[in-house]
Amino acid sequence: MSTQTIHGIGASAGIAIGPIFRYETREYSVEERHIEDTAAERARLDAALAQAQAEIQALAGQAQHDGDSSTASIFEAHAMFLSDPELLEQVRATIETRHVNADYAWKEGTEHYAASLRSLGDEYLAARATDVEDVATRVIRILHRAEEQATRLEEPSVIVAAELTPSDTVTLDKQKVLAFCTARGGATSHVVILAKALGIPAIVGLGAAADHLHTGAQAFVNGTTGEIIIDPDEATIAAYRQQSRILARSQSEAQEKAHEPATTADGKQVEVVANIGSPGEAADALAYGAEGVGLLRTEFLFLDRDTPPDEDEQSAVYSAIMETMGQRPVVIRTLDIGGDKPAPYLDMPEEMNPFLGVRGLRLSLAHPAIFQVQLRALLRAGAGHNVKIMFPMVATREEILAAREQIASAQAALAERGANLTPHYEIGIMVEVPSAALMADVLAGVVDFFSIGTNDLAQYTLAVDRTNAAVAPLADALHPAVLRLIGTVIEAAHAQGKWVGLCGELAGDPLAAPVLLGLGLDEFSMTARSIPLVKQVIRRCTLAQVREIARHVLTLSDAGEVRAYVHHQFGLEQTPRMGEIQGTKRIVETAR
Amino acid sequence: MATSCDVVVQSKVGLHARPAALLVKTAGGFSSRITVENLTRGTKPVNAKSILSVLSTGVRMHDQIRITADGADEEAAITALADLVKSNFGEME
């Protein structure tokens, strides 16, 4: 038994360990045969289509019953394909005029449509092509009088397949699925959506490496990094089991103290707050001990709709969050989207490289009408609460000045209406572009605070696209290059009496906490469920110790060295590589 | 004599997903032969009652399409289909 490691794209976070179950999609070989009685052959096709239609209705019903509406709607599309008049006419004509067998004619017809959908170069239509193939296989299976392959999982397993369609996954007992690993597929595949809904890891795009995964072998799957260790040695398995036990124990200890402040052993208190992306998450954040909201993402209000949300709608949503938070600070980030997330009403031209295009604050400044509506809505909702406004993707001082003017106009418009406003709001920016970090001393003059977005800062600094499996592991925000920029920002801000937060995933990584604390970070903003553990780590620190750690890591040469050093110095040996174990959604978040 | 009309698709997903399904279902309610062609991309007219054909026209947001109906209820069909597209598919979403 030899240990081997392979890599794919981590598409749904988390880790799992267990035996591999290879799900083999049954291949039906379809050969052209001469048919004399074409009427009988057409009747055979019609009977198969009727049975397929009945199966699909049953599956749609089951998915609906399971509350899985995305799968249900896919089966509804299958049903429409099955009764498509052009497809059926073509297939029947093929049987009639060429005297060929029904399965051959059906395969030819469906392949024609799948190919034509795929040729349009559209991700959505390519997914429909897969649906056409899925429904095609169902009918051929029926024509071959084969039973639907009922997959019985004897034990909880890691499912490995070339690709998994809804017809495949619907037959699996989800209780026994530990993780999904597929050779094909991307971040928007059906299987990824399903994995996220189930809260289990998924790795896609393994390519030929998937051939190394055999039924019965053990696999250690890390959906965060996209790494699979095949037949890990006993020591690795034991370490994993021990880690999970210790993690579970320290989690429960940490949860007990979640509502106590994060104060170092020598008395320095820092703020620990939550990143949230919808009103529903506000109450959860408080339950995990959040002292406020360090990042309220507002994109959820703007995406997947044909018109932008109006002032009243936005204001009502922001108000609901403010009410939950009371007088705790809430940092609202204005719209942060770009050309990769088209909102139709913005009419954005296609960009070669949307991550370097019109996104974040640039986009808001380019659409002042939409920006004004958002600013008025959040100023209204902020009245009587502790609201702070933050702009994303800022690269220059001019952008901040332009944004401040926009706030002034929004305030003037509200004042004219006689609206009741809180006189002062803190205004800050995300620091996620290297130019903003390097110019922090200049920018500090025109803001009240900085919040460092380490996901993008690492991506831009290290020139790594974290949705690209080939380079994703290099985008570790603990790289000294990123840490040096963080240090620069904090120093520049403190010199001018401004505070600095960090709302990237790094803030929720227990291994990073001592480093960030040592660099002087004032506010840690993270996914709510990371809060208890990070608070616990901070409580174990002393300033003298973490300052020394921070000073030293800036002299190291890569992220691996930083991790190893902190690990050793801080004695986090009980919870090694915790960032992965608790399943921070490193890659998924970038892809989103 | 066939009846036809040209309309611009405003749905952000073009003629994909639900808009495509709604168009096909609406067309299926008429006895006339109905076709749709994507003028922007210059595709050939295809059967508007066939979901696979409609998807294959690859209509995206802002594309102009021509709907043509030929048959006893052609005028009613064009009115219904043009209204559907102009209303942005009943403001679904």
Side-chain angles (χ1 to χ4, degrees):
Chain A
M1 188 152 79
S2 71
T3 296
Q4 191 181 0
T5 303
I6 62 172
H7 292 92
I9 299 172
S12 176
I15 61 170
I17 191 165
I20 292 169
F21 179 90
R22 270 203 86 97
Y23 183 94
E24 303 292 354
T25 314
R26 213 187 303 180
E27 298 281 343
Y28 297 95
S29 72
V30 175
E31 277 160 33
E32 185 174 356
R33 281 181 291 118
H34 179 80
I35 296 293
E36 206 46 56
D37 186 351
T38 54
E41 195 64 7
R42 284 178 50 172
R44 206 164 75 81
L45 175 69
D46 289 344
L49 292 173
Q51 185 183 331
Q53 194 67 264
E55 287 180 6
I56 286 168
Q57 298 298 345
L59 291 174
Q62 186 187 325
Q64 201 69 263
H65 178 261
D66 293 347
D68 183 358
S69 59
S70 93
T71 302
S73 70
I74 290 171
F75 284 125
E76 280 157 24
H78 283 197
M80 282 190 84
F81 296 155
L82 212 44
S83 55
D84 189 284
E86 290 290 322
L87 171 65
L88 296 184
E89 194 185 307
Q90 183 186 335
V91 174
R92 286 174 182 141
T94 305
I95 296 173
E96 202 60 48
T97 59
R98 286 164 48 197
H99 283 263
V100 295
N101 43 319
D103 42 344
Y104 183 81
W106 172 255
K107 187 163 201 263
E108 193 182 82
T110 49
E111 276 177 356
H112 161 76
Y113 279 104
S116 100
L117 290 176
R118 210 160 258 142
S119 73
L120 293 164
D122 177 300
E123 196 183 345
Y124 170 84
L125 292 175
R128 298 294 75 75
T130 307
D131 287 341
V132 171
E133 288 159 351
D134 195 11
V135 87
T137 305
R138 177 175 300 280
V139 173
I140 290 168
R141 189 205 83 227
I142 295 167
L143 284 167
H144 286 213
R145 298 178 186 286
E147 286 300 309
E148 182 143 40
Q149 180 186 16
T151 305
R152 291 212 196 297
L153 295 174
E154 301 294 336
E155 56 185 331
S157 307
V158 172
I159 308 299
V160 176
E163 192 164 23
L164 287 165
T165 65
S167 294
D168 299 324
T169 56
V170 78
T171 66
L172 293 170
D173 177 359
K174 311 293 184 300
Q175 301 293 324
K176 290 189 176 150
V177 178
L178 297 173
F180 288 117
C181 304
T182 63
R184 292 202 288 273
T188 57
S189 303
H190 161 74
V191 70
V192 174
I193 294 162
L194 178 65
K196 285 186 192 168
L198 294 170
I200 61 174
I203 296 178
V204 298
L206 281 162
D211 297 342
H212 296 293
L213 300 167
H214 302 292
T215 294
Q218 291 287 317
F220 174 49
V221 179
N222 187 328
T224 308
T225 61
E227 188 178 75
I228 302 172
I229 304 173
I230 305 162
D231 284 330
D233 54 33
E234 288 302 323
T236 308
I237 298 175
Y240 161 71
R241 297 211 189 285
Q242 195 196 355
Q243 282 166 20
S244 348
R245 269 199 305 277
I246 290 167
L247 189 65
R249 197 166 63 222
S250 61
Q251 287 276 29
S252 71
E253 275 174 18
Q255 184 60 43
E256 282 168 29
K257 289 195 195 169
H259 296 275
E260 293 171 26
T263 308
T264 62
D266 50 356
K268 157 92 176 164
Q269 191 183 338
V270 292
E271 212 175 331
V272 181
V273 291
N275 296 345
I276 67 172
S278 68
E281 291 173 54
D284 284 352
L286 292 180
Y288 280 110
E291 296 157 11
V293 172
L295 169 63
L296 167 59
R297 301 184 179 94
T298 56
E299 291 73 60
F300 71 96
L301 278 161
F302 291 83
L303 295 174
D304 297 322
R305 53 191 293 160
D306 291 332
T307 53
D310 67 21
E311 189 183 317
D312 286 342
E313 178 185 350
Q314 288 191 52
S315 180
V317 172
Y318 303 145
S319 290
I321 293 167
M322 297 297 168
E323 288 305 318
T324 308
M325 287 294 151
Q327 287 307 311
R328 296 179 185 87
V330 177
V331 180
I332 304 186
R333 182 177 72 185
T334 60
L335 183 59
D336 185 20
I337 59 176
D340 57 318
K341 281 262 157 56
Y345 45 87
L346 292 176
D347 200 17
M348 285 183 275
E350 206 158 297
E351 295 179 324
M352 283 294 286
N353 194 340
F355 278 92
L356 301 179
V358 181
R359 63 185 304 113
L361 179 59
R362 295 171 183 172
L363 186 135
S364 289
L365 290 174
H367 294 86
I370 289 173
F371 197 23
Q372 280 297 307
V373 170
Q374 179 167 37
L375 291 173
R376 288 198 302 269
L378 59 86
L379 288 171
R380 266 171 60 185
H385 294 280
N386 186 0
V387 70
K388 303 166 202 279
I389 301 172
M390 178 161 77
F391 303 114
M393 179 82 185
V394 173
T396 68
R397 183 170 177 271
E398 288 64 36
E399 289 167 341
I400 305 174
L401 297 178
R404 294 193 76 113
E405 271 174 38
Q406 291 284 332
I407 292 186
S409 346
Q411 278 174 319
L414 289 170
E416 206 159 294
R417 281 192 222 159
N420 176 27
L421 294 174
T422 302
H424 181 71
Y425 301 90
E426 283 189 27
I427 297 171
I429 61 165
M430 294 273 294
V431 177
E432 46 196 340
V433 179
S435 64
L438 293 166
M439 299 292 284
D441 56 339
V442 172
L443 304 188
V446 290
V447 299
D448 299 307
F449 66 92
F450 291 124
S451 186
I452 304 171
T454 42
N455 302 2
D456 279 337
L457 187 60
Q459 181 157 264
Y460 289 130
T461 303
L462 299 163
V464 167
D465 173 359
R466 294 189 309 164
T467 62
N468 179 340
V471 294
L474 302 174
D476 190 330
L478 272 180
H479 193 287
V482 181
L483 296 177
R484 286 184 189 197
L485 287 176
I486 295 173
T488 302
V489 173
I490 295 174
E491 206 173 306
H494 286 180
Q496 298 182 47
K498 309 294 165 74
W499 62 271
V500 182
L502 192 150
C503 59
E505 283 160 27
L506 195 64
D509 184 344
L511 205 57
V515 177
L516 298 174
L517 197 58
L519 289 170
L521 192 72
D522 303 295
E523 181 231 47
F524 293 65
S525 189
M526 65 198 74
T527 307
R529 61 188 156 74
S530 301
I531 290 174
L533 208 53
V534 169
K535 279 188 170 180
Q536 194 73 327
V537 171
I538 292 169
R539 290 180 192 121
R540 286 172 54 192
C541 297
T542 64
L543 283 184
Q545 172 201 27
V546 294
R547 282 184 182 142
E548 176 52 28
I549 289 176
R551 196 195 57 73
H552 185 78
V553 295
L554 295 185
T555 68
L556 298 175
S557 60
D558 63 39
E561 282 185 17
V562 173
R563 288 190 180 278
Y565 176 78
V566 179
H567 199 267
H568 178 71
Q569 286 298 310
F570 198 69
L572 278 173
E573 65 283 344
Q574 301 113 308
T575 52
R577 293 179 76 78
M578 185 121 51
E580 293 170 15
I581 286 179
Q582 60 173 26
T584 52
K585 296 191 173 178
R586 189 160 292 151
I587 292 169
V588 175
E589 290 234 329
T590 319
R592 198 166 38 81
Chain B
M1 254 314 279
T3 306
S4 72
C5 76
D6 295 353
V7 277
V8 174
V9 173
Q10 299 291 358
S11 151
K12 66 157 187 166
V13 294
L15 266 190
H16 294 174
R18 270 200 63 198
L22 280 171
L23 183 96
V24 170
K25 278 180 190 152
T26 307
F30 296 93
S31 66
S32 295
R33 180 182 144 69
I34 304 172
T35 61
V36 58
E37 62 191 291
N38 183 347
L39 299 174
T40 305
R41 289 175 61 101
T43 64
K44 276 183 278 186
V46 298
N47 184 351
K49 299 176 186 180
S50 157
I51 183 77
L52 289 169
S53 304
V54 170
L55 289 177
S56 303
T57 59
V59 175
R60 297 186 181 202
M61 184 171 67
H62 300 329
D63 281 0
Q64 190 175 34
I65 60 170
R66 172 170 296 160
I67 306 169
T68 307
D70 189 0
D73 53 6
E74 61 185 46
E75 283 182 11
I78 290 301
T79 306
L81 290 167
D83 283 353
L84 180 71
V85 179
K86 284 178 193 156
S87 75
N88 203 11
F89 302 91
E91 299 287 334
M92 19 88 53
E93 292 169 298

